[in-house]
Amino acid sequence: MRSDVIIIGGGHSALCKGIELLKAGRGCIIFSTGEGGHRFRDPSYSHLNHRKEFERLGGVYVMGDTVTGGQFDGSGRLSFIRTAAQGKTVFYAQEFFIATGSFFSRGLVALRDAVVEPIFGLDVDFSGTYEEWVNPDFYADQPFMHFGVITDEEGHPLKNGVKVGNLTAIGSIKGDGKRQ
Amino acid sequence: MERDNNFEQCLKCDICSGYCPVAKVNPVFPGPKRLGPDGERYRMMDAAFFDPAANLCLNCKRCEVSCPSDVHIGDIILKAKLKYGRKSHVLRNAALSYTDTMGFLGTHFSPMANAVASLMFKGGPRYASRTFERQFIGSETAARQSCFDHKVSFFHGCYVNYNNPSLGMDFVKVMNALGIGVQLLDDESCCGIALISNGFVQKARKNAEKNIASVRTSVEKGMPVISTSTTCMFTLRNEYQNVLGYDMSAFSDSMYTATKYIFELLDSSAVSLHFRKDLPKIRVAYHMPCHLEKLGWGLYTVALLRMIPGVELTVLDSNCCGVAGTYGFKSENKQTSRNVGKPLFDQIRSIGADLVVTDCETCRWQIEMNTGARVAHPISLLAQSIETLK
């Protein structure tokens, strides 16, 4: 299947970007593992309204389907993505956005020795050992909260040091650049 | 621990309870989090912790769709129900669950069965006088199928066979228009979702084993298996694997809902559908069934409907209709079922579309019974919109 744009992740950043793109006349599909945009039982009204607006404008919000990976071409561009539910059907787009969030929504995953981005294996900005990621003072600024995927000025993330030109990171998956 | 029981992944965010259609309308219902991953922890310790409120679960799987941690909440609840639950209303539940036996009786005595059904439900299920299998096997249409190079197997399910054979014929018409022949499986039984949700596991397993054998034969011959019923396909693909424990991984890429198969065919090859030139403008409201949403394949139906000229499509908000197969037909659930479906019915009434389209047969009955709207299957609408093959 083809779409102008595919957004991976279905939270606040994803919906805002989706609405912006639809208003500019581009087709858009969002894949979200679960109901995005909230942390606890009740979803925020802004999320519900954004989702309604997104769907009213003709966007497709696929909930309950996780993007599992993708195919990069020789020039480092992302050509298509695979998802858990669609089987061998792949999704092509001219442009992709990744808005899978931070640790809570598993946009970033902390292993014992590294912080990784689990879908494409994008380069992540982190340093030190496991012990140094966390400040034992619970109320202090926590180093791990500043981790995120490395991007250029335009928000394109890097994979093995090479820029992925048609993928843009938005939302809290991006590092905030304030890491010590 | 049982395979795929990943309740440890639950973060306790409770988004599932916010998304559960039953928890919204029934304050007594503990919600998917407490019945599923929370309850499992206790049940592993002592079966006495099983909460009979699990019987109020619709098995719509909306909790799984909403879960950001991909916990199989609905499967955990269903498996607990099967393992620890006590059976009640056995005779009535058997009558609801043995859809093939009831269908056999219903079609043989269809005038009488329909008279009884029309007294019980306005709209809702009716029986055909001849089953799809009897109409199709040995007919001219069936003989024509061997002319096609590419063939698919059609899992018609009980609804097409006993209630709505014309949908099966519509499916054959659309596939033929795409240059694909349709065959039936060697031996098809009811998919068994009603048996599973009502606790008749032995019979469900018997049906599953028969169906899996037929699917295997078909797939080995290179023919994918396609169903017009989203719940039948969901059961074959997901419930056999996750609830009954059969390994379906070898076939899961060869099983499709009709709209997914047709869309992919149009998308990936040179074939195209020739729509009639004289199609009137029609306002269509599309309701996505919960099990199709769980499969993640609703986008294909939406894309197909948008291809039909003259169709002005409104995709209804994602809501459960409340019937959930046999659930809404039980007297004790009737009110819950109506309350669950209320937002959907209200939206359908306020839009006032000419036609409501949905892929699921029981959603169709529920919408007909509660709104009086005209409801059709997307394949039927597609069949009416294309040029007939000469």
Side-chain angles (χ1 to χ4, degrees), chain B residues 170-181:
Chain B
D170 286 341
F171 173 70
V172 176
K173 182 184 165 188
V174 175
M175 294 311 279
N176 288 175
L178 289 162
I180 306 266

PDB file of all heavy atoms in Angstrom, chain B residues 170-181:
ATOM      1  N   ASP B 170     -22.186 -12.553  -4.447  1.00  0.00           N
ATOM      2  CA  ASP B 170     -21.576 -11.240  -4.736  1.00  0.00           C
ATOM      3  C   ASP B 170     -20.053 -11.347  -4.716  1.00  0.00           C
ATOM      4  O   ASP B 170     -19.367 -10.774  -5.560  1.00  0.00           O
ATOM      5  CB  ASP B 170     -22.015 -10.202  -3.689  1.00  0.00           C
ATOM      6  CG  ASP B 170     -23.448  -9.775  -3.890  1.00  0.00           C
ATOM      7  OD1 ASP B 170     -23.973  -9.993  -5.002  1.00  0.00           O
ATOM      8  OD2 ASP B 170     -24.044  -9.238  -2.938  1.00  0.00           O
ATOM      9  N   PHE B 171     -19.548 -12.091  -3.720  1.00  0.00           N
ATOM     10  CA  PHE B 171     -18.099 -12.275  -3.608  1.00  0.00           C
ATOM     11  C   PHE B 171     -17.562 -12.961  -4.866  1.00  0.00           C
ATOM     12  O   PHE B 171     -16.559 -12.523  -5.452  1.00  0.00           O
ATOM     13  CB  PHE B 171     -17.774 -13.108  -2.356  1.00  0.00           C
ATOM     14  CG  PHE B 171     -16.329 -13.488  -2.236  1.00  0.00           C
ATOM     15  CD1 PHE B 171     -15.361 -12.537  -1.951  1.00  0.00           C
ATOM     16  CD2 PHE B 171     -15.923 -14.799  -2.419  1.00  0.00           C
ATOM     17  CE1 PHE B 171     -14.027 -12.882  -1.851  1.00  0.00           C
ATOM     18  CE2 PHE B 171     -14.587 -15.159  -2.323  1.00  0.00           C
ATOM     19  CZ  PHE B 171     -13.636 -14.193  -2.043  1.00  0.00           C
ATOM     20  N   VAL B 172     -18.255 -14.026  -5.301  1.00  0.00           N
ATOM     21  CA  VAL B 172     -17.823 -14.747  -6.503  1.00  0.00           C
ATOM     22  C   VAL B 172     -17.834 -13.804  -7.709  1.00  0.00           C
ATOM     23  O   VAL B 172     -16.901 -13.792  -8.516  1.00  0.00           O
ATOM     24  CB  VAL B 172     -18.732 -15.977  -6.753  1.00  0.00           C
ATOM     25  CG1 VAL B 172     -18.347 -16.670  -8.053  1.00  0.00           C
ATOM     26  CG2 VAL B 172     -18.639 -16.950  -5.592  1.00  0.00           C
ATOM     27  N   LYS B 173     -18.866 -12.969  -7.785  1.00  0.00           N
ATOM     28  CA  LYS B 173     -18.974 -12.036  -8.908  1.00  0.00           C
ATOM     29  C   LYS B 173     -17.801 -11.056  -8.941  1.00  0.00           C
ATOM     30  O   LYS B 173     -17.184 -10.839  -9.989  1.00  0.00           O
ATOM     31  CB  LYS B 173     -20.296 -11.256  -8.783  1.00  0.00           C
ATOM     32  CG  LYS B 173     -20.540 -10.284  -9.911  1.00  0.00           C
ATOM     33  CD  LYS B 173     -21.808  -9.471  -9.673  1.00  0.00           C
ATOM     34  CE  LYS B 173     -21.824  -8.269 -10.603  1.00  0.00           C
ATOM     35  NZ  LYS B 173     -22.918  -7.344 -10.291  1.00  0.00           N
ATOM     36  N   VAL B 174     -17.464 -10.494  -7.780  1.00  0.00           N
ATOM     37  CA  VAL B 174     -16.362  -9.524  -7.720  1.00  0.00           C
ATOM     38  C   VAL B 174     -15.035 -10.202  -8.051  1.00  0.00           C
ATOM     39  O   VAL B 174     -14.228  -9.670  -8.829  1.00  0.00           O
ATOM     40  CB  VAL B 174     -16.294  -8.848  -6.326  1.00  0.00           C
ATOM     41  CG1 VAL B 174     -15.087  -7.940  -6.236  1.00  0.00           C
ATOM     42  CG2 VAL B 174     -17.557  -8.059  -6.052  1.00  0.00           C
ATOM     43  N   MET B 175     -14.817 -11.392  -7.495  1.00  0.00           N
ATOM     44  CA  MET B 175     -13.551 -12.089  -7.753  1.00  0.00           C
ATOM     45  C   MET B 175     -13.421 -12.442  -9.227  1.00  0.00           C
ATOM     46  O   MET B 175     -12.362 -12.288  -9.824  1.00  0.00           O
ATOM     47  CB  MET B 175     -13.447 -13.362  -6.895  1.00  0.00           C
ATOM     48  CG  MET B 175     -13.350 -13.140  -5.410  1.00  0.00           C
ATOM     49  SD  MET B 175     -12.120 -11.939  -4.923  1.00  0.00           S
ATOM     50  CE  MET B 175     -10.653 -12.924  -4.984  1.00  0.00           C
ATOM     51  N   ASN B 176     -14.510 -12.927  -9.821  1.00  0.00           N
ATOM     52  CA  ASN B 176     -14.490 -13.264 -11.247  1.00  0.00           C
ATOM     53  C   ASN B 176     -14.189 -12.034 -12.090  1.00  0.00           C
ATOM     54  O   ASN B 176     -13.461 -12.110 -13.080  1.00  0.00           O
ATOM     55  CB  ASN B 176     -15.820 -13.885 -11.684  1.00  0.00           C
ATOM     56  CG  ASN B 176     -16.004 -15.302 -11.145  1.00  0.00           C
ATOM     57  OD1 ASN B 176     -17.038 -15.910 -11.324  1.00  0.00           O
ATOM     58  ND2 ASN B 176     -15.007 -15.831 -10.460  1.00  0.00           N
ATOM     59  N   ALA B 177     -14.745 -10.890 -11.692  1.00  0.00           N
ATOM     60  CA  ALA B 177     -14.494  -9.646 -12.428  1.00  0.00           C
ATOM     61  C   ALA B 177     -13.016  -9.262 -12.362  1.00  0.00           C
ATOM     62  O   ALA B 177     -12.499  -8.567 -13.232  1.00  0.00           O
ATOM     63  CB  ALA B 177     -15.357  -8.533 -11.863  1.00  0.00           C
ATOM     64  N   LEU B 178     -12.336  -9.745 -11.319  1.00  0.00           N
ATOM     65  CA  LEU B 178     -10.906  -9.463 -11.169  1.00  0.00           C
ATOM     66  C   LEU B 178     -10.048 -10.553 -11.813  1.00  0.00           C
ATOM     67  O   LEU B 178      -8.824 -10.526 -11.717  1.00  0.00           O
ATOM     68  CB  LEU B 178     -10.547  -9.361  -9.686  1.00  0.00           C
ATOM     69  CG  LEU B 178     -11.053  -8.120  -8.952  1.00  0.00           C
ATOM     70  CD1 LEU B 178     -11.022  -8.334  -7.460  1.00  0.00           C
ATOM     71  CD2 LEU B 178     -10.215  -6.913  -9.333  1.00  0.00           C
ATOM     72  N   GLY B 179     -10.716 -11.538 -12.425  1.00  0.00           N
ATOM     73  CA  GLY B 179      -9.978 -12.616 -13.083  1.00  0.00           C
ATOM     74  C   GLY B 179      -9.506 -13.707 -12.141  1.00  0.00           C
ATOM     75  O   GLY B 179      -8.502 -14.369 -12.393  1.00  0.00           O
ATOM     76  N   ILE B 180     -10.218 -13.876 -11.041  1.00  0.00           N
ATOM     77  CA  ILE B 180      -9.842 -14.893 -10.052  1.00  0.00           C
ATOM     78  C   ILE B 180     -11.012 -15.865  -9.880  1.00  0.00           C
ATOM     79  O   ILE B 180     -12.167 -15.437  -9.755  1.00  0.00           O
ATOM     80  CB  ILE B 180      -9.560 -14.239  -8.678  1.00  0.00           C
ATOM     81  CG1 ILE B 180      -8.531 -13.120  -8.810  1.00  0.00           C
ATOM     82  CG2 ILE B 180      -9.175 -15.276  -7.644  1.00  0.00           C
ATOM     83  CD1 ILE B 180      -7.122 -13.499  -8.563  1.00  0.00           C
ATOM     84  N   GLY B 181     -10.707 -17.150  -9.883  1.00  0.00           N
ATOM     85  CA  GLY B 181     -11.739 -18.161  -9.666  1.00  0.00           C
ATOM     86  C   GLY B 181     -11.926 -18.442  -8.181  1.00  0.00           C
ATOM     87  O   GLY B 181     -11.011 -18.246  -7.389  1.00  0.00           O
TER      88      GLY B 181
END
